[in-house]
Amino acid sequence: MYAIIDVGSNTVRRNIYKIEQGQLSLVMGKKEAVGLASYVKNGQMLPEGVNRACEVLSEFRSILQDLGIADYHVFATAALRNAVNSHAAVEEIVERTGICIEVLSGETEAELDFIGASHAVDVTDGLLIDIGGASTELVVYENSEIKKKVSLPVGSLNIYDRYVSNLLPSRSERKAVKQMVLQLLKQDADLYYGEYPIVCGVGAPFVRRAN
């Protein structure tokens, strides 16, 4: 038995797998809506965000202990990666929970996105887009191999907190978001390689923390 915990910008997910004769099968999965990206203000991860992460991770660890699962891996993505106080926030979470956390780089996250998607869809030639809460990963691939991978520091949750004032964005807010994203894409001149026969989008449900 082996477990993976993904500390994402929207949700924290825990999957438990069983490995038999080289075959991997999912035993159970659970996710908690945490919305870590919404706890980042002026680039800083707030204490409330650290507390929320500790609460969920401690609960997940207790479940793993009850099931006798000692082998597990915990990784974090954009919300903790991009925070100015990332190192301090991660150190506090580790100290309070006893869980070692690997903070993935944007490029590593993009590469793992591609590997995961390759098990579910045709990834011969095209573009993969991972829409996260605090980042968006773009992977251009040809002949089932990665040609370009990039992580952009914008996601559904941090864009919402930055641009949207009500439940649904207004026309002017949508226009502002579009202009910002297009400008960000133009900064990477070699991202565009031509027409993409397949565009594959992956992502978790959007979660907004109540004020």
Side-chain angles (χ1 to χ4, degrees):
M1 301 285 280
Y2 193 87
I4 297 290
I5 299 177
D6 172 7
V7 185
S9 303
N10 263 329
T11 60
V12 178
R13 296 168 174 263
R14 183 214 65 217
N15 282 354
I16 297 175
Y17 298 93
K18 189 175 184 178
I19 304 175
E20 287 184 322
Q21 298 179 348
Q23 297 297 315
L24 187 71
S25 60
L26 178 64
V27 176
M28 66 175 71
K30 181 177 176 59
K31 65 180 178 180
E32 287 285 343
V34 176
L36 275 185
S38 65
Y39 290 99
V40 177
K41 300 299 179 185
N42 298 320
Q44 298 275 339
M45 174 61 69
L46 299 178
E48 293 86 351
V50 172
N51 291 339
R52 188 73 179 99
C54 289
E55 177 186 340
V56 174
L57 287 175
S58 295
E59 176 189 342
F60 282 179
R61 187 186 184 193
S62 294
I63 293 172
L64 297 181
Q65 289 174 335
D66 291 342
L67 294 173
I69 299 174
D71 292 329
Y72 58 87
H73 185 78
V74 184
F75 61 87
T77 54
L80 282 172
R81 175 176 70 232
N82 295 336
V84 175
N85 58 337
S86 172
H87 183 71
V90 171
E91 274 197 340
E92 182 176 348
I93 294 171
V94 171
E95 182 178 348
R96 289 171 56 179
T97 64
I99 294 175
C100 183
I101 300 175
E102 178 187 4
V103 180
L104 300 181
S105 69
E107 285 198 351
T108 298
E109 185 178 358
E111 184 175 349
L112 293 176
D113 286 336
F114 177 77
I115 293 172
S118 67
H119 289 280
V121 297
D122 175 21
V123 291
T124 303
D125 298 281
L127 172 68
L128 174 71
I129 306 173
D130 177 12
I131 309 162
S135 70
T136 297
E137 282 66 48
L138 303 173
V139 181
V140 178
Y141 53 93
E142 294 178 3
N143 299 319
S144 301
E145 293 185 357
I146 295 175
K147 293 298 181 182
K148 172 79 174 180
K149 54 186 177 181
V150 63
S151 179
L152 305 177
V154 291
S156 60
L157 193 50
N158 60 8
I159 285 180
Y160 187 97
D161 287 342
R162 180 178 173 184
Y163 287 94
V164 182
S165 55
N166 294 305
L167 179 61
L168 298 177
S170 65
R171 178 178 298 179
S172 61
E173 288 170 340
R174 293 197 302 271
K175 183 178 179 179
V177 170
K178 181 177 180 179
Q179 290 176 338
M180 181 273 294
V181 172
L182 288 176
Q183 186 62 35
L184 195 61
L185 290 173
K186 288 178 182 178
Q187 295 176 11
D188 198 334
D190 63 341
L191 182 61
Y192 182 73
Y193 285 90
E195 297 295 330
Y196 300 116
I198 296 177
V199 176
C200 175
V202 297
F206 172 78
V207 177
R208 181 173 185 264
R209 178 173 60 89
N211 293 323

